[in-house]
Amino acid sequence: MLSTMQDVPLLISRILTHGARIHGSSRVTTWTGEGAPQRRTFAEIGGRTAQLAHALREDLGVEGDDRVATLMWNNAEHVEAYFAIPSMGAVLHTLNLRLPAEQLVWIVNHAADRVVIANGSLLPLLAPLLPHLPTVEHVVVSGPGDRTLLADAHARVHEYEDLIAGKPTDYDWPELDERTAASMCYTSGTTGDPKGVVYSHRSIYLHSMQVNMAQSMGLTDQDTSLIVVPQFHVNAWGLPHATFMTGVNMLMPDRFLQPGPLAEMIESEKPTHAAAVPTIWQGLLAELTVKPRDVTSLTQVTIGGSACPPALMSAFDDLGMRVCHAWGMTETSPLGTIARPPAQVVGLPEEFAYRLTQGRFPAGVEARLSGPGGERLPWDGESAGELEVRGPWIAGAYYNGPGGEVLRPADKFSEDGWLKTGDVGTISPDGFLTLTDRAKDVIKSGGEWISSVELENALMAHPAVAEAAVVAVPDDRWGERPLATVVLKEGADADFETLRAFLAEEGKIAKWQLPERWTIVEAVPKTSVGKFDKKVLRRRYAEGALDITQL
Ligand code: ADP
């Protein structure tokens, strides 16, 4: 028997028209560095989104599932592109502006982008790439920047504001199939060639509803969210879509991502929520220690992308900024788990331990753990295996070409269609995920596994340590052993013996897991999305470029 319910497709255009009408007075505020920030209401964004869609169709000839790329910071125009491109039926392709040039070229060519909307400040990055991007016919430039850099471009160059000026502020959005492509995002290539994940209207719609749940971020139109996580990093964790559903105000940092300007925007714009990877918050914490500011408005901080160090969580708690830890990946849209402790531990000492886990799975994400031989492992909080997930906003394949053919590599997808995350961890009987490592980062010492994350967290709890990354290095006797690379806080001093003793203290780390190889580095190398780049550390070690002390 079929249901008697209406079958209304879950479309991005519906999120847009809802936000622009029902939450028309909510705002997107974009930081400009100097002078007043740019402020635009959701109603204005709705009108300008329609104008952009008209311009793309009528002036640039965008049609069907043409790919329109963005090379942009987080700002109001990027939000307009987020809604205009998928709503008109085309495919938004957000480009990660921190990728190496060759990877960007590879990705644009692979996706066959026809148009690139770029911020003027990023033209020095785009201009030298353009000769290698034959599919790009148009470049639309928004915001300050030197246009003469594009003087020799083969593509036609347009000004964003000129292009949309005078266009109608409404658009008859097409009634698309909700399963069609809305946007695409390539994985950042930490684990090999970038892979294209293509989100559907339906997956984004359902994911946005999940982001908005009280058990997830649970924001309302009384909130302002400082969206530091880039719009090119898994759709800024779904926030631009989710906020249009509920009227949450967006505070966009544009290119001002350094700790100083971030602290300034928090003090003056008073966001109630913020989202970013741990490295951003480590930077902000150091800034606030040197130069205290009024950050009391900010009561909820979503941290994900890599494990949140316990010391960072405590320090933020002390400042009144409550951290909520979440796990996800490009392939999971990204919300996979979020660490809201269960009711029965709230206010008890165990609560902190729950908050440090990667969190619980929402109803839309099913999970299982797979052992080394592919066997299912119990949810007992002890058996560690590879996490596999499935659900309506989890990727089932990678993009592999304009004919719609897809890739399903066996190391990424199980035979029965689950996503193999490459993350290793345990799940407790009450459904809380604790990741111990990425499969490729775990240290395999004498047949036992050592968690690099556990060592890093313990090290970063030492008062002299600003950052610490631990990687596996080859060892004749044990196969692999941990190498600790440490960044000391400015003016701080600690020798390796002291740090090692600190790790061993109170049984924090089992004796056999303590690193014997140590080195001080000026900074831990970071990936394009601000995570520790362990590949680079392993390479530097192999090349003998690190000054190693053996204890
Ligand atoms: P990349 O794989 O290039 O880093 P993603 O942003 O898709 O790009 O990264 C997803 C990965 O980041 C996850 O598979 C996991 O290893 C790591 N990750 C994300 N959130 C967390 C978290 N809260 N704790 C630990 N690891 C995390």
Side-chain angles (χ1 to χ4, degrees):
M1 183 164 69
L2 284 178
S3 82
T4 62
M5 306 315 286
Q6 299 181 13
D7 192 9
V8 178
L10 308 177
L11 299 179
I12 306 253
S13 57
R14 295 214 149 83
I15 304 180
L16 168 71
T17 47
H18 168 83
R21 186 173 303 153
I22 306 294
H23 299 293
S25 58
S26 293
R27 284 179 195 216
V28 179
T29 301
T30 306
W31 200 248
T32 52
E34 49 197 35
Q38 179 214 68
R39 298 185 200 280
R40 217 166 266 168
T41 65
F42 281 16
E44 285 165 338
I45 298 255
R48 288 170 55 91
T49 297
Q51 292 182 307
L52 176 60
H54 280 290
L56 291 173
R57 173 123 318 145
E58 292 146 26
D59 299 355
L60 272 51
V62 170
E63 54 186 31
D65 60 359
D66 281 348
R67 265 73 68 202
V68 178
T70 53
L71 187 66
M72 302 175 89
W73 306 103
N74 288 11
N75 51 42
E77 290 76 20
H78 206 171
V79 174
E80 290 157 12
Y82 251 53
F83 285 109
I85 297 161
S87 294
M88 65 190 283
V91 183
L92 166 74
H93 177 194
T94 50
L95 296 173
N96 178 343
L97 54 91
R98 300 198 197 282
L99 283 184
E102 322 78 72
Q103 268 191 38
L104 268 177
V105 167
W106 189 91
I107 286 174
V108 173
N109 289 331
H110 190 255
D113 298 329
R114 275 189 70 195
V115 179
V116 179
I117 307 179
N119 278 135
S121 57
L122 294 167
L123 295 183
L125 168 64
L126 180 63
L129 306 185
L130 271 178
H132 309 286
L133 308 176
T135 62
V136 175
E137 297 164 34
H138 301 274
V139 177
V140 182
V141 187
S142 160
D146 179 5
R147 271 58 171 174
T148 61
L149 291 168
L150 297 179
D152 300 327
H154 69 272
R156 279 179 54 204
V157 179
H158 312 263
E159 276 299 324
Y160 187 96
E161 292 302 327
D162 296 349
L163 203 60
I164 70 169
K167 294 279 191 290
T169 52
D170 55 1
Y171 194 102
D172 188 13
W173 303 113
E175 199 69 6
L176 304 163
D177 180 335
E178 66 181 19
R179 287 170 185 79
T180 50
S183 67
M184 61 197 304
C185 182
Y186 281 73
T187 61
S188 55
T190 325
T191 49
D193 258 355
K195 297 180 195 74
V197 173
V198 183
Y199 308 105
S200 65
H201 287 260
R202 172 187 158 83
S203 72
I204 291 176
Y205 196 106
L206 293 172
H207 179 263
S208 307
M209 294 188 75
Q210 181 60 49
V211 168
N212 283 323
M213 283 203 183
Q215 284 278 347
S216 295
M217 295 191 206
L219 305 175
T220 73
D221 58 356
Q222 294 173 38
D223 287 295
T224 296
S225 178
L226 169 59
I227 306 178
V228 186
V229 54
Q231 287 183 256
F232 57 75
H233 187 199
V234 214
N235 296 327
W237 298 349
L239 281 163
H241 299 119
T243 50
F244 249 69
M245 275 188 170
T246 45
V248 178
N249 301 285
M250 293 183 238
L251 173 58
M252 297 303 216
D254 199 77
R255 59 191 184 282
F256 306 99
L257 295 166
Q258 309 71 25
L262 285 178
E264 212 180 310
M265 2 187 146
I266 297 170
E267 187 164 52
S268 72
E269 293 297 318
K270 311 213 175 314
T272 55
H273 170 259
V277 294
T279 44
I280 293 276
W281 301 124
Q282 299 274 24
L284 182 72
L285 193 59
E287 164 82 15
L288 293 176
T289 315
V290 182
K291 192 170 172 193
R293 316 261 189 146
D294 178 8
V295 291
T296 47
S297 68
L298 189 53
T299 51
Q300 191 188 331
V301 173
T302 307
I303 296 192
S306 41
C308 176
L312 180 66
M313 192 177 279
S314 312
F316 266 48
D317 280 357
D318 293 346
L319 289 169
M321 301 192 269
R322 194 176 162 96
V323 168
C324 187
H325 192 203
W327 164 85
M329 51 200 301
T330 307
E331 290 88 334
T332 65
S333 292
L335 191 67
T337 57
I338 189 153
R340 299 270 182 203
Q344 56 278 20
V345 303
V346 170
L348 301 178
E350 300 93 287
E351 187 181 4
F352 192 69
Y354 271 101
R355 289 174 56 208
L356 278 177
T357 70
Q358 272 66 22
R360 265 195 288 208
F361 300 93
V365 181
E366 285 174 76
R368 67 188 188 193
L369 288 176
S370 180
E375 73 280 14
R376 294 283 92 77
L377 298 177
W379 291 18
D380 56 9
E382 281 172 18
S383 309
E386 182 178 5
L387 173 68
E388 299 184 0
V389 288
R390 77 168 170 193
W393 58 82
I394 311 288
Y398 295 114
Y399 175 74
N400 189 38
E405 58 273 33
V406 293
L407 279 180
R408 277 195 195 87
D411 63 330
K412 284 293 185 173
F413 298 97
S414 69
E415 273 178 18
D416 56 350
W418 290 57
L419 172 75
K420 298 180 177 180
T421 63
D423 287 325
V424 174
T426 62
I427 303 177
S428 63
D430 51 355
F432 279 80
L433 170 73
T434 299
L435 289 184
T436 44
D437 235 323
R438 278 188 164 193
K440 64 183 175 43
D441 289 337
V442 80
I443 302 147
K444 298 174 190 98
S445 172
E448 298 281 347
W449 284 8
I450 301 177
S451 159
S452 64
V453 175
E454 204 180 322
L455 285 169
E456 286 160 6
N457 284 342
L459 272 170
M460 286 191 275
H462 190 279
V465 177
E467 269 182 346
V470 176
V471 294
V473 296
D475 183 271
D476 290 342
R477 178 149 178 229
W478 300 106
E480 286 179 355
R481 288 297 297 160
L483 158 70
T485 61
V486 178
V487 182
L488 291 177
K489 283 189 187 152
E490 231 177 281
D493 201 16
D495 59 41
F496 296 138
E497 293 287 0
T498 312
L499 291 179
R500 195 176 142 100
F502 175 76
L503 292 183
E505 239 169 58
E506 297 159 24
K508 265 190 226 128
I509 302 287
K511 232 184 165 149
W512 66 272
Q513 301 189 340
L514 296 174
E516 36 299 289
R517 295 173 183 82
W518 293 77
T519 187
I520 297 282
V521 288
E522 240 169 59
V524 175
K526 307 277 168 22
T527 69
S528 61
V529 288
K531 307 184 189 187
F532 289 173
D533 198 339
K534 300 196 177 178
K535 208 168 49 202
V536 171
L537 282 176
R538 284 190 283 259
R539 193 179 59 228
R540 281 193 199 157
Y541 177 82
E543 289 166 350
L546 297 174
D547 183 15
I548 306 290
T549 301
Q550 183 110 14
L551 296 187

